Amino acid sequence: MPVGQASSAGRHPVLDGRHQLSEMVASHVREAIMIGELRTPDYIRTEHLAAELGISATPVREALMILHSEGAVRWEPRRGFRVLPITAQDVTDLFDVQAYIAGELAARAARALDDAEIGRLQRIQSRLEAAARERDAEQVDRLNHEIHRTINRSSASHRMTTLLNLTVHYVPLGFFGTIEGWAEASAHDHSAIFDALRARDADAARDAMACHIRHIGRLLIDHLKSHDVLSTPTHGDRPTHRP
């Protein structure tokens, strides 16, 4: 058997499985930080978290190193990983980046989506609005995801879509259902986006999508403030990255 085949069969599935597990742990910790279960200056003990999740320490350590590189936690020798503050500016910056990328994807979608696909999206939107009226946050989340995924994929901009996904994972998607006004915003803000898509107006689609994403960001900031999650860091609290 060629060496390349042996390598693929013998090592890659194990590495992929461990990578997926570490990403799942990272998502778990991100959500715990975002909802205030873990707060600065808490320390996350690798062994304790591994025991809590029922897994080995290795993927937990890898997950915390991922979060260290993102600036969510900081490794301190002999003490562990310390949770770093989340500020309103952090959240604003994150959603500004998302707004730029999602806006550009929507502009490209305005040139790419055909009438049949726009019609399908509008039917999904009608179901989303009905779910919002019924305060079915889980259904709103699912339908909202389908609408945004369709718009993003239709742009045929795979690298840009990947970049958007990298920013989205900083805020766990299932968390939005708890935010006051989120379901209503998802139902209301999409109207301007659909108007622009129907008109094949790329500039209007870009602006409408960017405004929608920033609106969601403001709702999240209000929610985090009301739950005393946001803080004002000192200079020493922020991670230092080498170029």
Side-chain angles (χ1 to χ4, degrees):
M1 180 179 293
V3 173
Q5 291 183 15
S7 174
S8 176
R11 289 201 301 267
H12 290 179
V14 174
L15 291 176
D16 288 346
R18 195 174 75 187
H19 175 74
Q20 291 174 0
L21 185 56
S22 62
E23 288 289 350
M24 290 173 61
V25 175
S27 294
H28 171 80
V29 176
R30 283 190 201 99
E31 181 168 5
I33 293 173
M34 186 62 68
I35 66 178
E37 288 182 356
L38 291 171
R39 298 172 182 251
T40 187
D42 292 346
Y43 283 89
I44 304 173
R45 307 299 180 186
T46 303
E47 294 75 12
H48 292 174
L49 183 56
E52 175 188 333
L53 298 177
I55 59 177
S56 70
T58 298
V60 172
R61 193 174 298 108
E62 291 172 348
L64 293 175
M65 289 305 299
I66 291 171
L67 297 174
H68 172 80
S69 70
E70 295 174 358
V73 303
R74 182 170 64 197
W75 163 249
E76 296 183 357
R78 297 181 298 281
R79 303 188 72 179
F81 292 89
R82 183 164 71 91
V83 178
L84 291 175
I86 302 174
T87 70
Q89 187 63 59
D90 291 332
V91 180
T92 298
D93 291 344
L94 175 61
F95 278 86
D96 279 348
V97 173
Q98 289 186 24
Y100 175 81
I101 300 174
E104 184 57 35
L105 292 173
R108 299 178 187 187
R111 306 184 188 101
L113 284 169
D114 58 27
D115 291 339
E117 191 69 350
I118 293 174
R120 186 182 76 85
L121 287 175
Q122 290 181 304
R123 290 190 292 274
I124 295 174
Q125 176 69 12
S126 296
R127 292 162 56 197
L128 186 154
E129 292 172 1
R133 288 192 295 271
E134 295 168 3
R135 297 188 178 277
D136 186 345
E138 183 177 347
Q139 180 77 337
V140 171
D141 178 65
R142 187 181 68 79
L143 297 171
N144 180 70
H145 176 71
E146 177 62 20
I147 289 171
H148 282 272
R149 182 177 65 174
T150 299
I151 291 172
N152 294 340
R153 287 184 174 180
S154 71
S155 69
S157 305
H158 305 299
R159 294 297 179 95
M160 189 171 286
T161 301
T162 299
L163 288 173
L164 179 62
N165 290 336
L166 289 174
T167 67
V168 167
H169 77 200
Y170 285 97
V171 182
L173 295 179
F175 176 63
F176 279 107
T178 66
I179 298 175
E180 183 70 27
W182 176 80
E184 293 78 5
S186 293
H188 176 270
D189 293 358
H190 288 172
S191 297
I193 298 171
F194 284 116
D195 288 345
L197 294 177
R198 282 196 304 270
R200 304 292 192 271
D201 188 332
D203 291 337
R206 180 186 294 108
D207 291 344
M209 182 62 78
C211 286
H212 171 52
I213 299 299
R214 290 192 176 98
H215 183 193
I216 297 299
R218 291 193 298 272
L219 290 175
L220 176 57
I221 289 173
D222 290 342
H223 177 87
L224 295 177
K225 284 181 176 178
S226 70
H227 288 74
D228 197 29
V229 174
L230 298 179
S231 60
T232 303
T234 64
H235 177 72
D237 284 325
R238 305 314 300 165
T240 300
H241 296 289
R242 294 181 178 178

